[in-house]
Amino acid sequence: QANLISSAEIAGMALSSLLSILWIGRFNWRKVALCALLAIVLGNLISTYITDFQLLVSIRFLTGLVGHGTAFALGIAAIGSTSEPDKNFGFTIASQVVMGALTLFFAPKLIAAYGIAGMCFPAAILACIAMTLTSRLAQSGGVQAHGSDANQTTGLSFIGKYGLPIAGLLVMIAWQMGVGPFFNNLFPFGISINLDPSEIGTALFLSTGLSIIGPLSASALASKVKRGIPVCLALAVQLLVVLSFQGEMTWAGFAIRAILFQTAWNFTGPFLMGMIATMDNTGRFSALIPASQLGGIAIGQAIIASLVQGNNLALINYFCAIVIFLSALIFIFISGKINRN
């Protein structure tokens, strides 16, 4: 039941990101933010008092659609409209790592003590705090300081005016098809090589915590180097780590690989998000980043589920390596077009 509730909210968030192209350039961002945060508060408060399971699933879907998803898409568009999107996306992902670690630490204790209210009340409180900051948000995206219409047309006129931003989203989708499902299958892989579940959990907890090095490094490098070389190196690390998860290995070998993979994953993200934002003068494509991330993971998981029979986990590695390699090829193509502008 917990998985179904979570899936409903994620589905709402993905749909919200897709729908954002309809309003991102039309409405005042501050008012949209207030409405989304209010929906988060109400959705989480209502959820704490619902006992009917189907109704709870519906409320979580609507909370994801109107609340979390709208706020997330708007936040990405707002960060993308800054003059240094790569750097600021790095800080964003670093904050997500911190919040994820805090949630992982506190959520089980709060849920055990207070039930679903242990998750919903903290989310509502954070939304209330965020409401006090909406006055500092830009009222709209407007024309970005870091791009021009030329960025959106050069070399990809065959798919229209917005060729490059669309291609950037394809990079994100292909990349997430590989990295997301691979990470989700690390626990089953650990079990398959006879590691204790608690040892696997410890390794993944360490890799998640230490992966904050990735986005902070990206932020530090963003204004000093072009994104092409660091992204290609990080994708190469991910590719090699994915292919190395085969055969027997010790706990240390498992943990080191997991740390390298997640650090490279979180290092790559800010640059890819910044690339899309740099090519986007409307904010619409930046707002589609959450949908491309969630959609890529969902597509990858679905393909893996249809391909893998029995306990053939090596096939997962090969599939993930192929789509990561494909994302690298598309990224190199786009980088070449951008550098010629």
Side-chain angles (χ1 to χ4, degrees):
Q1 288 185 337
N3 287 332
L4 184 57
I5 292 172
S6 176
S7 297
E9 188 161 352
I10 291 172
M13 292 176 65
L15 179 58
S16 180
S17 177
L18 289 173
L19 293 175
S20 66
I21 61 174
L22 301 176
W23 57 260
I24 198 73
R26 297 183 179 182
F27 301 112
N28 186 298
W29 285 7
R30 295 178 185 177
K31 294 180 180 179
V32 172
L34 281 173
C35 290
L37 293 169
L38 181 60
I40 292 173
V41 173
L42 293 176
N44 281 286
L45 292 179
I46 292 172
S47 296
T48 62
Y49 296 103
I50 292 177
T51 56
D52 182 79
F53 177 71
Q54 291 186 346
L55 180 58
L56 179 60
V57 170
S58 300
I59 292 297
R60 296 319 300 175
F61 173 79
L62 290 174
T63 304
L65 176 66
V66 183
H68 293 291
T70 301
F72 192 15
L74 179 58
I76 294 297
I79 295 168
S81 70
T82 61
S83 60
E84 295 182 290
D86 300 54
K87 179 179 181 179
N88 294 325
F89 278 129
F91 290 132
T92 301
I93 293 178
S95 68
Q96 289 177 322
V97 172
V98 173
M99 289 301 298
L102 291 174
T103 301
L104 190 63
F105 182 79
F106 287 109
K109 299 178 176 62
L110 292 172
I111 292 174
Y114 305 106
I116 192 173
M119 278 292 290
C120 292
F121 272 120
I125 292 170
L126 288 175
C128 289
I129 295 172
M131 284 184 183
T132 65
L133 304 175
T134 55
S135 62
R136 303 178 67 86
L137 188 67
Q139 296 190 44
S140 64
V143 178
Q144 311 305 320
H146 47 64
S148 66
D149 286 339
N151 284 343
Q152 298 175 330
T153 59
T154 302
L156 286 177
S157 58
F158 63 91
I159 56 174
K161 181 179 179 181
Y162 302 112
L164 283 177
I166 291 172
L169 289 171
L170 289 177
V171 173
M172 183 66 73
I173 292 171
W175 179 58
Q176 291 289 353
M177 284 174 63
V179 293
F182 176 77
F183 179 76
N184 291 340
N185 281 279
L186 283 183
F187 198 93
F189 177 82
I191 295 294
S192 73
I193 59 173
N194 300 316
L195 290 179
D196 185 86
S198 63
E199 292 180 328
I200 300 171
T202 300
L204 296 181
F205 179 78
L206 284 174
S207 68
T208 299
L210 293 175
S211 68
I212 196 173
I213 296 171
L216 292 179
S217 298
S219 292
L221 291 173
S223 60
K224 297 179 175 65
V225 299
K226 291 185 177 181
R227 64 174 68 93
I229 292 177
V231 169
C232 287
L233 289 175
L235 290 173
V237 169
Q238 293 164 66
L239 190 62
L240 293 174
V241 170
V242 167
L243 293 174
S244 74
F245 264 96
Q246 299 186 49
E248 297 296 322
M249 66 180 67
T250 63
W251 177 85
F254 180 90
I256 290 171
R257 286 173 172 83
I259 292 169
L260 287 173
F261 177 79
Q262 277 199 274
T263 302
W265 182 1
N266 286 338
F267 178 84
T268 307
F271 287 112
L272 294 186
M273 296 166 77
M275 176 185 70
I276 295 168
T278 301
M279 300 183 296
D280 177 23
N281 297 327
T282 66
R284 292 187 177 93
F285 295 99
S286 296
L288 288 174
I289 289 175
S292 68
Q293 293 173 326
L294 296 172
I297 293 173
I299 294 169
Q301 289 283 70
I303 293 174
I304 285 173
S306 65
L307 288 177
V308 176
Q309 302 294 329
N311 198 35
N312 187 12
L313 296 178
L315 189 58
I316 296 176
N317 295 6
Y318 294 135
F319 168 78
C320 293
I322 288 171
V323 290
I324 291 173
F325 182 71
L326 176 62
S327 71
L329 290 180
I330 304 174
F331 171 79
I332 291 171
F333 171 76
I334 295 174
S335 295
K337 296 297 181 183
I338 293 174
N339 291 336
R340 292 192 192 104
N341 288 345

